[in-house]
Amino acid sequence: MLKIDKETFKKDYEEKFIEIHGKDLSEGTDYNKYEALASLTRDYVVKTWINTNKRYDITREKQVYYFSMEFLLGRLLDNALSNLGIRDICKEALNDLNINLDALEILEEDQGLGNGGLGRLAACFLDSMASLNIPGHGCGIRYKYGFFEQKIIDGSQVEAPDEWLKNGNVWAIKKSDKAQIVKFGGKVDMFSENGKIKFNHTKYEPVLAVPYDIPIIGYKNEVVNTLRLWSAEPLYDEFDFSSFSRGDHLKAIEYKNSIEAISQVLYPDDSFYEGKMLRLKQQYFFVSAGIQSIIRHFRTHVGSLKDLDERIAIHINDTHPTLAIPELMRIFMDEENFSWDEAWRMTTNIISYTNHTILAEALEKWPVEMFKSLLPRIYMIVEEINRRFCEELWNKYIGQWDKISKMAIISDGYVKMAHLAIVGSHSVNGVAKLHTEILKKQEMADLYYFYPKKFNNKTNGITHRRWLMRANPQLTDLLKETIGDSFIKHPTDMEAFEAYAGNRIVQERLQNIKFSNKKKLAEYLKFNQGISINPNSLFDVQVKRIHAYKRQVLNCLRIMELYRRLIENPNLDIIPRTFIFAGKAAPGYYLAKNTIELINAVANKINNDSRVNEKIKVVFVPNYRVSVAEAIIPAADLSEQISTTTKEASGTSNMKFMMNGAITIATLDGANIEIRDEVGDENIVIFGMTKKEVLDYYHKGGYSAWDMVNRDYRIKQVTEDIVNGFYCSDKEKFKSIYEHLITYNDEFFVLKDFDSYLKAQKRVDSLYRDSSKWQSMCAINIAHSGVFSSDRTIQEYATGIWGSGYLYKNL
Ligand SMILES: *Cc1c(COP(=O)(O)O)cnc(C)c1O
């Protein structure tokens, strides 16, 4: 923990300001002041950062490398100040200088190098590893443009580039001396040397991978780990300039652009795979650079790679970094002269893999021709891994060709990345109990029965430091006052708060805190969108990526149904609600974009209807991202987690809401099940189809959307309202939603769950009327949210998969 007093801080800050801006503090803009503060904070971090790295080199603790194509960090300043333990001092010092810390913090651009849950999980994991003294580092891509900025124009999503670097970024330090060369294309020749087969890779296109290091600060513990993000630069030294010398200037620029394209932009797809060559290039680019730099570091500091598998662990977040497996094999064999068997033993010991989804459209597979031409040597290795694997299968499953071809890594002209990841690692984990079960018994059943010991569950988590302590300081204070502060280090200690669930004073405090967060959100929405909402209404919130399986349409349809009832009976006795939506649709995902349009059309109609305005309002908050989540979640009364059962692998926003004292309305999907197990049926509102019903429909068929329409007049009414001009004079506008639901017999069973959802919402209404009861439910949810801290998740990874960290060290 950094020791610094207010006066020193003031002096440092004023000096820093002058140093970087060349003018006096009094002449500075707020953004200038933010820059000086962030820059000073980074200076404070650097010494500890260097010391941490030195310590790791001396103690030779096992280093964990978390490889992920996405890291959704959000803002870093307030997290840095609080993890350093200097936020209070800093706030007071700035106050003396007439500067408001909160006002500066919100000027920071979100670092949005991820799509949603998967990227945010990676960010929470980095925070937990550092805070738990685990030597764990991130490896990814420094996209020039992060996740696109979403604007809502005339009710539709419009995408703009996310220029997060336009004002520079103080957090990353460019390490040019640690750059690596990554090779694409070319040809590979085999030759024999002293009786050994060797490979010569020529005519390849070299790309310079330059690392930018970002400090990951542990919570008050003198640990600063590293997130290393790679940027692609042209390598003029090795480029064939013969064409350039003829004056073909354009060629050189073309070359430069094609190289820089690799780290230019994050693909905006979530739970959907796009088989683009550039995407495969991105994957090999950061994986190869990351692994080369790890090996280089190890070579300089330790020497022999003999026991590398006891010194490092590499975790791959989904299949995107699976090329780590053949890349390690390549380095061990081609550069370190290991035998195949030795290289394979080492590689599989080092690599572990997390599966994130069972959605078929999300499973990565690359056309063999594309793979081979982009990565000729890597392809040879994958082919050999596949050949040896299939040989094992032939011996075990004699004559079962269908089974073998289904299990193979290469088949039907594709390289199947999940299969490569499972075969080439020692651990395969799902992200919630149900998801892991489905993985084992359904999606990857053949591979599970072949490698039963590899499969395990690690239920996701969220860092309570950001999602509780930073996002909800008032609730944090209430917890400290009632149960002490041990929960900060041991989040499951929050259970002690359950004893206060029936305490009237605590209930009132909870209610006041929620009200204050709701007022703040209302002000934020007034300021940013000019919309007025009533903080005395129930805030009913669904914020997440827009996706058919997440069923924003189900939520929208029940609002449409309620609206119809209110028009018919304006005196209908309901708790006033504000329905809040936020989320981005992938730019090429028509149905999701159409869903945003429907929500906005419904909002537009309802919000302008004075007959119902005292009772309901609908808000779509644009450009959902970490900082917006931090503003919305602490203000929520009701958390909508309504995915089709079996489709949401875990979910993590469900955990964030619970920790902030919202009540969950949910299907028994993903981690919702584990939330229910923690709080008990009486403290969560469950509805919808069971896993068995859903799987039966998938396996045996029998679902008829038309039956739903014909059997339930409410369903008939609301589905007609989609296309009868009630919400939009253009009746064709939402046709794709209507067709998806009915004509194409909706694979996500929205209409099937409609009735059960409405009944569940009615239960919410009556629970909320009993304020004391509601607050006690909130308290119980908060009390049981500790197990969903990513500290618990990371402890499980460390002891169960990586063999690193606290317990390991004390063996
Ligand atoms: C937590 C989070 C998510 C994940 O939300 P789910 O509801 O679990 O899909 C997505 N985006 C952001 C910005 C988040 O903070």
Side-chain angles (χ1 to χ4, degrees), residues 72 115-117 120 467 543-544 550 624-626 629 641 648 651-654 656:
L72 192 51
N115 273 283
R120 185 53 232 174
W467 295 107
V543 290
K544 49 184 74 245
K550 291 179 182 280
Y624 186 55
R625 58 196 190 281
V626 173
Q641 307 299 336
E648 186 77 270
T652 47
S653 79
N654 44 4
K656 299 168 195 164

mmCIF file of all heavy atoms in Angstrom, residues 72 115-117 120 467 543-544 550 624-626 629 641 648 651-654 656, ligand 1:
data_model
loop_
_atom_site.group_PDB
_atom_site.id
_atom_site.type_symbol
_atom_site.label_atom_id
_atom_site.label_comp_id
_atom_site.label_asym_id
_atom_site.label_seq_id
_atom_site.Cartn_x
_atom_site.Cartn_y
_atom_site.Cartn_z
ATOM 1 N N LEU A 72 -12.047 -6.295 -21.449
ATOM 2 C CA LEU A 72 -12.984 -5.174 -21.342
ATOM 3 C C LEU A 72 -12.756 -4.489 -20.000
ATOM 4 O O LEU A 72 -13.435 -4.760 -19.020
ATOM 5 C CB LEU A 72 -14.414 -5.717 -21.461
ATOM 6 C CG LEU A 72 -15.571 -4.756 -21.656
ATOM 7 C CD1 LEU A 72 -15.307 -3.792 -22.793
ATOM 8 C CD2 LEU A 72 -16.848 -5.531 -21.937
ATOM 9 N N ASN A 115 -16.231 -7.407 -26.247
ATOM 10 C CA ASN A 115 -17.628 -7.344 -26.657
ATOM 11 C C ASN A 115 -18.616 -7.337 -25.508
ATOM 12 O O ASN A 115 -19.641 -6.671 -25.555
ATOM 13 C CB ASN A 115 -17.947 -8.556 -27.530
ATOM 14 C CG ASN A 115 -17.629 -8.301 -28.986
ATOM 15 O OD1 ASN A 115 -18.378 -7.617 -29.658
ATOM 16 N ND2 ASN A 115 -16.516 -8.818 -29.450
ATOM 17 N N GLY A 116 -18.326 -8.153 -24.492
ATOM 18 C CA GLY A 116 -19.306 -8.309 -23.419
ATOM 19 C C GLY A 116 -18.743 -9.184 -22.322
ATOM 20 O O GLY A 116 -17.600 -8.996 -21.885
ATOM 21 N N GLY A 117 -19.529 -10.179 -21.915
ATOM 22 C CA GLY A 117 -19.177 -11.007 -20.767
ATOM 23 C C GLY A 117 -17.789 -11.632 -20.815
ATOM 24 O O GLY A 117 -17.064 -11.606 -19.822
ATOM 25 N N ARG A 120 -15.133 -8.967 -20.252
ATOM 26 C CA ARG A 120 -15.222 -8.433 -18.890
ATOM 27 C C ARG A 120 -14.733 -9.473 -17.883
ATOM 28 O O ARG A 120 -14.103 -9.139 -16.884
ATOM 29 C CB ARG A 120 -16.659 -7.999 -18.593
ATOM 30 C CG ARG A 120 -16.867 -7.308 -17.262
ATOM 31 C CD ARG A 120 -15.935 -6.122 -17.024
ATOM 32 N NE ARG A 120 -15.258 -6.257 -15.751
ATOM 33 C CZ ARG A 120 -14.294 -5.436 -15.294
ATOM 34 N NH1 ARG A 120 -13.890 -4.392 -16.004
ATOM 35 N NH2 ARG A 120 -13.723 -5.650 -14.144
ATOM 36 N N TRP A 467 -17.287 -3.895 -8.739
ATOM 37 C CA TRP A 467 -18.749 -3.937 -8.898
ATOM 38 C C TRP A 467 -19.510 -3.680 -7.611
ATOM 39 O O TRP A 467 -20.712 -3.447 -7.634
ATOM 40 C CB TRP A 467 -19.166 -5.253 -9.552
ATOM 41 C CG TRP A 467 -18.642 -5.345 -10.941
ATOM 42 C CD1 TRP A 467 -17.612 -6.132 -11.383
ATOM 43 C CD2 TRP A 467 -19.065 -4.572 -12.082
ATOM 44 N NE1 TRP A 467 -17.384 -5.902 -12.724
ATOM 45 C CE2 TRP A 467 -18.263 -4.958 -13.173
ATOM 46 C CE3 TRP A 467 -20.053 -3.591 -12.288
ATOM 47 C CZ2 TRP A 467 -18.403 -4.404 -14.452
ATOM 48 C CZ3 TRP A 467 -20.195 -3.046 -13.555
ATOM 49 C CH2 TRP A 467 -19.382 -3.452 -14.616
ATOM 50 N N VAL A 543 -29.810 -5.285 -19.191
ATOM 51 C CA VAL A 543 -28.668 -4.692 -19.896
ATOM 52 C C VAL A 543 -27.669 -5.785 -20.215
ATOM 53 O O VAL A 543 -27.178 -6.480 -19.327
ATOM 54 C CB VAL A 543 -27.999 -3.570 -19.066
ATOM 55 C CG1 VAL A 543 -28.900 -2.349 -18.993
ATOM 56 C CG2 VAL A 543 -27.644 -4.025 -17.651
ATOM 57 N N LYS A 544 -27.371 -5.962 -21.480
ATOM 58 C CA LYS A 544 -26.478 -7.009 -21.965
ATOM 59 C C LYS A 544 -26.470 -6.928 -23.483
ATOM 60 O O LYS A 544 -27.263 -6.188 -24.068
ATOM 61 C CB LYS A 544 -26.950 -8.390 -21.498
ATOM 62 C CG LYS A 544 -28.443 -8.650 -21.758
ATOM 63 C CD LYS A 544 -28.929 -9.982 -21.216
ATOM 64 C CE LYS A 544 -29.072 -10.023 -19.706
ATOM 65 N NZ LYS A 544 -28.182 -10.943 -19.028
ATOM 66 N N LYS A 550 -30.907 -14.228 -25.636
ATOM 67 C CA LYS A 550 -31.067 -13.494 -24.383
ATOM 68 C C LYS A 550 -32.498 -12.967 -24.222
ATOM 69 O O LYS A 550 -32.890 -12.514 -23.163
ATOM 70 C CB LYS A 550 -30.052 -12.356 -24.303
ATOM 71 C CG LYS A 550 -28.599 -12.837 -24.138
ATOM 72 C CD LYS A 550 -27.640 -11.659 -24.088
ATOM 73 C CE LYS A 550 -26.178 -12.051 -23.983
ATOM 74 N NZ LYS A 550 -25.757 -12.403 -22.605
ATOM 75 N N TYR A 624 -23.974 0.976 -24.365
ATOM 76 C CA TYR A 624 -23.711 0.202 -23.149
ATOM 77 C C TYR A 624 -22.236 -0.201 -23.090
ATOM 78 O O TYR A 624 -21.664 -0.684 -24.061
ATOM 79 C CB TYR A 624 -24.578 -1.067 -23.139
ATOM 80 C CG TYR A 624 -24.480 -1.851 -21.848
ATOM 81 C CD1 TYR A 624 -24.751 -1.231 -20.636
ATOM 82 C CD2 TYR A 624 -24.098 -3.189 -21.841
ATOM 83 C CE1 TYR A 624 -24.656 -1.933 -19.445
ATOM 84 C CE2 TYR A 624 -24.009 -3.902 -20.662
ATOM 85 C CZ TYR A 624 -24.284 -3.271 -19.464
ATOM 86 O OH TYR A 624 -24.183 -3.957 -18.283
ATOM 87 N N ARG A 625 -21.626 0.018 -21.948
ATOM 88 C CA ARG A 625 -20.216 -0.326 -21.744
ATOM 89 C C ARG A 625 -19.974 -0.399 -20.244
ATOM 90 O O ARG A 625 -20.922 -0.199 -19.467
ATOM 91 C CB ARG A 625 -19.315 0.702 -22.425
ATOM 92 C CG ARG A 625 -19.512 2.138 -21.946
ATOM 93 C CD ARG A 625 -18.866 3.107 -22.968
ATOM 94 N NE ARG A 625 -18.799 4.479 -22.482
ATOM 95 C CZ ARG A 625 -19.810 5.332 -22.477
ATOM 96 N NH1 ARG A 625 -21.017 4.952 -22.890
ATOM 97 N NH2 ARG A 625 -19.670 6.571 -22.038
ATOM 98 N N VAL A 626 -18.747 -0.644 -19.803
ATOM 99 C CA VAL A 626 -18.499 -0.861 -18.380
ATOM 100 C C VAL A 626 -18.937 0.349 -17.544
ATOM 101 O O VAL A 626 -19.622 0.200 -16.527
ATOM 102 C CB VAL A 626 -17.013 -1.214 -18.124
ATOM 103 C CG1 VAL A 626 -16.721 -1.270 -16.633
ATOM 104 C CG2 VAL A 626 -16.675 -2.555 -18.772
ATOM 105 N N ALA A 629 -22.611 0.399 -17.217
ATOM 106 C CA ALA A 629 -23.042 -0.675 -16.312
ATOM 107 C C ALA A 629 -22.852 -0.239 -14.855
ATOM 108 O O ALA A 629 -23.697 -0.494 -14.000
ATOM 109 C CB ALA A 629 -22.251 -1.955 -16.599
ATOM 110 N N GLN A 641 -32.890 -11.745 -16.153
ATOM 111 C CA GLN A 641 -31.955 -12.765 -16.655
ATOM 112 C C GLN A 641 -32.796 -13.870 -17.281
ATOM 113 O O GLN A 641 -33.031 -14.917 -16.688
ATOM 114 C CB GLN A 641 -31.089 -13.282 -15.500
ATOM 115 C CG GLN A 641 -30.389 -12.193 -14.704
ATOM 116 C CD GLN A 641 -29.412 -11.357 -15.534
ATOM 117 O OE1 GLN A 641 -28.912 -11.811 -16.562
ATOM 118 N NE2 GLN A 641 -29.139 -10.142 -15.089
ATOM 119 N N GLU A 648 -27.493 -19.645 -22.040
ATOM 120 C CA GLU A 648 -26.546 -18.690 -21.446
ATOM 121 C C GLU A 648 -25.556 -19.500 -20.614
ATOM 122 O O GLU A 648 -25.919 -20.079 -19.590
ATOM 123 C CB GLU A 648 -27.288 -17.695 -20.547
ATOM 124 C CG GLU A 648 -26.417 -16.578 -19.993
ATOM 125 C CD GLU A 648 -26.106 -15.487 -21.027
ATOM 126 O OE1 GLU A 648 -25.092 -15.623 -21.735
ATOM 127 O OE2 GLU A 648 -26.879 -14.515 -21.125
ATOM 128 N N GLY A 651 -23.443 -16.134 -17.640
ATOM 129 C CA GLY A 651 -23.911 -14.790 -17.321
ATOM 130 C C GLY A 651 -23.037 -14.264 -16.200
ATOM 131 O O GLY A 651 -22.587 -15.030 -15.324
ATOM 132 N N THR A 652 -22.749 -12.984 -16.229
ATOM 133 C CA THR A 652 -22.044 -12.367 -15.100
ATOM 134 C C THR A 652 -22.773 -11.125 -14.620
ATOM 135 O O THR A 652 -22.616 -10.728 -13.468
ATOM 136 C CB THR A 652 -20.589 -11.993 -15.451
ATOM 137 O OG1 THR A 652 -20.578 -11.306 -16.709
ATOM 138 C CG2 THR A 652 -19.706 -13.230 -15.527
ATOM 139 N N SER A 653 -23.594 -10.519 -15.465
ATOM 140 C CA SER A 653 -24.306 -9.341 -14.970
ATOM 141 C C SER A 653 -25.317 -9.770 -13.907
ATOM 142 O O SER A 653 -25.600 -9.023 -12.976
ATOM 143 C CB SER A 653 -24.961 -8.547 -16.103
ATOM 144 O OG SER A 653 -26.169 -9.130 -16.536
ATOM 145 N N ASN A 654 -25.817 -11.010 -14.016
ATOM 146 C CA ASN A 654 -26.698 -11.525 -12.966
ATOM 147 C C ASN A 654 -26.021 -11.415 -11.582
ATOM 148 O O ASN A 654 -26.649 -11.064 -10.589
ATOM 149 C CB ASN A 654 -27.122 -12.978 -13.274
ATOM 150 C CG ASN A 654 -25.976 -13.861 -13.750
ATOM 151 O OD1 ASN A 654 -24.809 -13.430 -13.787
ATOM 152 N ND2 ASN A 654 -26.293 -15.103 -14.118
ATOM 153 N N LYS A 656 -23.496 -9.271 -10.782
ATOM 154 C CA LYS A 656 -23.298 -7.858 -10.434
ATOM 155 C C LYS A 656 -24.572 -7.283 -9.802
ATOM 156 O O LYS A 656 -24.518 -6.559 -8.804
ATOM 157 C CB LYS A 656 -22.945 -7.039 -11.679
ATOM 158 C CG LYS A 656 -21.670 -7.455 -12.390
ATOM 159 C CD LYS A 656 -21.571 -6.772 -13.769
ATOM 160 C CE LYS A 656 -20.523 -7.433 -14.639
ATOM 161 N NZ LYS A 656 -20.657 -7.059 -16.068
HETATM 162 C C1 LIG B 1 -20.972 -7.756 -17.162
HETATM 163 C C2 LIG B 1 -21.042 -7.150 -18.508
HETATM 164 C C3 LIG B 1 -21.530 -7.888 -19.585
HETATM 165 C C4 LIG B 1 -22.056 -9.302 -19.435
HETATM 166 O O1 LIG B 1 -23.435 -9.249 -19.222
HETATM 167 P P1 LIG B 1 -24.363 -10.574 -19.294
HETATM 168 O O2 LIG B 1 -25.679 -10.097 -18.860
HETATM 169 O O3 LIG B 1 -23.770 -11.566 -18.349
HETATM 170 O O4 LIG B 1 -24.330 -11.025 -20.704
HETATM 171 C C5 LIG B 1 -21.578 -7.287 -20.829
HETATM 172 N N1 LIG B 1 -21.160 -6.015 -21.004
HETATM 173 C C6 LIG B 1 -20.698 -5.263 -19.999
HETATM 174 C C7 LIG B 1 -20.273 -3.866 -20.245
HETATM 175 C C8 LIG B 1 -20.618 -5.804 -18.707
HETATM 176 O O5 LIG B 1 -20.140 -5.051 -17.706
#
